[in-house]
Amino acid sequence: QVQPVESGGGLVQPGGLPRLLCAASTSIFSLYAMPWYRRAPGKQRELVASITSGGTTNYADSVNGRFTISRDNAKNTVYLQMNSLKPEDTATYYCNAQRATYAYWGQGTQVTVSS
Protein backbone atom coordinates (compact mmCIF):
# COMPACT_ATOMS: atom_id res chain seq x y z
CA GLN A 1 0.00 0.00 0.00
CA VAL A 2 1.10 3.53 -0.78
CA GLN A 3 0.49 5.90 2.10
CA PRO A 4 0.74 9.56 1.18
CA VAL A 5 1.71 11.81 4.08
CA GLU A 6 0.74 15.46 4.01
CA SER A 7 2.40 18.23 5.94
CA GLY A 8 2.73 22.00 5.95
CA GLY A 9 -0.69 22.99 7.17
CA GLY A 10 -1.51 25.11 10.14
CA LEU A 11 -2.94 28.45 11.16
CA VAL A 12 -2.10 31.15 8.66
CA GLN A 13 -3.18 34.72 8.11
CA PRO A 14 -5.01 35.91 5.02
CA GLY A 15 -2.52 36.45 2.28
CA GLY A 16 -0.20 33.86 3.77
CA LEU A 17 2.14 31.69 1.77
CA PRO A 18 2.10 28.17 3.15
CA ARG A 19 3.42 25.28 1.16
CA LEU A 20 1.86 21.89 1.53
CA LEU A 21 3.89 18.77 0.97
CA CYS A 22 2.80 15.27 0.16
CA ALA A 23 5.32 12.47 0.33
CA ALA A 24 4.70 8.92 -0.80
CA SER A 25 7.04 5.97 -0.64
CA THR A 26 6.81 4.02 -3.85
CA SER A 27 9.28 2.96 -6.47
CA ILE A 28 6.91 4.12 -9.20
CA PHE A 29 6.01 7.52 -7.84
CA SER A 30 6.53 9.08 -11.24
CA LEU A 31 3.68 7.00 -12.64
CA TYR A 32 1.10 8.41 -10.24
CA ALA A 33 -1.17 11.32 -10.84
CA MET A 34 -1.12 13.43 -7.70
CA PRO A 35 -4.17 15.58 -7.08
CA TRP A 36 -4.86 17.71 -4.04
CA TYR A 37 -8.38 17.77 -2.68
CA ARG A 38 -9.88 19.74 0.14
CA ARG A 39 -12.92 19.49 2.34
CA ALA A 40 -14.40 22.29 4.36
CA PRO A 41 -16.96 21.64 7.10
CA GLY A 42 -20.42 21.37 5.65
CA LYS A 43 -19.14 21.25 2.11
CA GLN A 44 -18.42 18.55 -0.39
CA ARG A 45 -14.92 17.50 -1.17
CA GLU A 46 -13.51 19.41 -4.09
CA LEU A 47 -10.55 19.01 -6.35
CA VAL A 48 -8.08 21.81 -5.78
CA ALA A 49 -5.28 21.01 -8.17
CA SER A 50 -3.76 18.05 -9.91
CA ILE A 51 -0.60 17.09 -11.67
CA THR A 52 -0.38 14.11 -13.96
CA SER A 53 2.45 11.66 -14.30
CA GLY A 54 3.45 13.65 -17.37
CA GLY A 55 3.55 16.91 -15.47
CA THR A 56 0.34 18.44 -16.77
CA THR A 57 -1.29 20.64 -14.15
CA ASN A 58 -4.88 21.62 -13.61
CA TYR A 59 -6.53 23.93 -11.10
CA ALA A 60 -9.93 24.64 -9.73
CA ASP A 61 -11.25 28.04 -10.73
CA SER A 62 -11.32 29.06 -7.08
CA VAL A 63 -7.55 28.70 -6.72
CA ASN A 64 -6.31 29.23 -10.24
CA GLY A 65 -3.66 31.91 -10.25
CA ARG A 66 -3.11 31.61 -6.50
CA PHE A 67 -1.98 28.02 -5.97
CA THR A 68 0.79 26.17 -7.73
CA ILE A 69 1.16 22.42 -7.81
CA SER A 70 4.46 20.81 -8.64
CA ARG A 71 6.25 17.53 -8.15
CA ASP A 72 9.75 16.32 -7.56
CA ASN A 73 9.90 12.71 -8.60
CA ALA A 74 13.41 12.33 -7.24
CA LYS A 75 12.02 13.12 -3.79
CA ASN A 76 8.69 11.33 -4.22
CA THR A 77 7.00 14.55 -3.25
CA VAL A 78 4.27 16.77 -4.60
CA TYR A 79 3.90 20.37 -3.48
CA LEU A 80 1.05 22.80 -3.27
CA GLN A 81 2.25 26.36 -2.94
CA MET A 82 -0.57 28.50 -1.64
CA ASN A 83 -0.61 32.24 -2.22
CA SER A 84 -3.02 35.03 -1.37
CA LEU A 85 -4.93 32.83 1.02
CA LYS A 86 -8.52 33.64 1.75
CA PRO A 87 -10.72 32.52 4.64
CA GLU A 88 -12.61 30.42 2.11
CA ASP A 89 -9.47 28.33 1.68
CA THR A 90 -9.87 26.98 5.19
CA ALA A 91 -10.21 23.23 4.86
CA THR A 92 -8.53 19.92 5.36
CA TYR A 93 -6.30 19.27 2.40
CA TYR A 94 -5.82 15.74 1.18
CA CYS A 95 -3.24 14.32 -1.14
CA ASN A 96 -4.22 11.47 -3.41
CA ALA A 97 -2.01 9.12 -5.39
CA GLN A 98 -3.80 7.76 -8.42
CA ARG A 99 -2.70 5.13 -10.85
CA ALA A 100 -4.89 2.84 -12.91
CA THR A 101 -7.45 1.41 -10.48
CA TYR A 102 -5.48 2.47 -7.44
CA ALA A 103 -6.17 5.52 -5.34
CA TYR A 104 -4.38 6.14 -2.06
CA TRP A 105 -5.36 8.90 0.34
CA GLY A 106 -3.35 10.66 2.97
CA GLN A 107 -4.68 11.62 6.38
CA GLY A 108 -4.93 15.27 5.44
CA THR A 109 -3.44 18.45 6.79
CA GLN A 110 -5.55 21.26 8.19
CA VAL A 111 -5.20 24.75 6.81
CA THR A 112 -6.97 27.45 8.77
CA VAL A 113 -6.95 30.96 7.36
CA SER A 114 -7.75 33.47 10.06
CA SER A 115 -6.56 36.75 11.47
Side-chain angles (χ1 to χ4, degrees):
Q1 179 180 348
V2 177
Q3 178 61 64
V5 179
E6 303 96 334
S7 62
L11 178 62
V12 297
Q13 295 183 350
L17 301 168
R19 185 179 69 165
L20 305 185
L21 292 78
C22 176
S25 296
T26 169
S27 61
I28 54 172
F29 178 83
S30 63
L31 300 182
Y32 283 87
M34 300 293 295
W36 282 96
Y37 292 83
R38 70 183 180 187
R39 179 197 57 79
K43 297 183 178 180
Q44 296 182 347
R45 184 188 66 190
E46 65 173 335
L47 177 65
V48 177
S50 65
I51 184 166
T52 69
S53 60
T56 301
T57 59
N58 203 2
Y59 299 92
D61 290 340
S62 59
V63 306
N64 191 34
R66 299 188 298 118
F67 292 6
T68 302
I69 189 171
S70 61
R71 67 192 299 161
D72 187 339
N73 291 336
K75 298 181 179 179
N76 281 19
T77 302
V78 63
Y79 306 91
L80 185 66
Q81 178 66 62
M82 310 170 78
N83 300 299
S84 302
L85 280 176
K86 307 174 181 179
E88 307 93 271
D89 295 318
T90 296
T92 302
Y93 286 74
Y94 298 91
C95 177
N96 184 241
Q98 298 178 350
R99 171 183 154 264
T101 62
Y102 300 95
Y104 303 101
W105 292 92
Q107 294 297 306
T109 183
Q110 177 68 34
V111 175
T112 301
V113 184
S114 176
S115 299

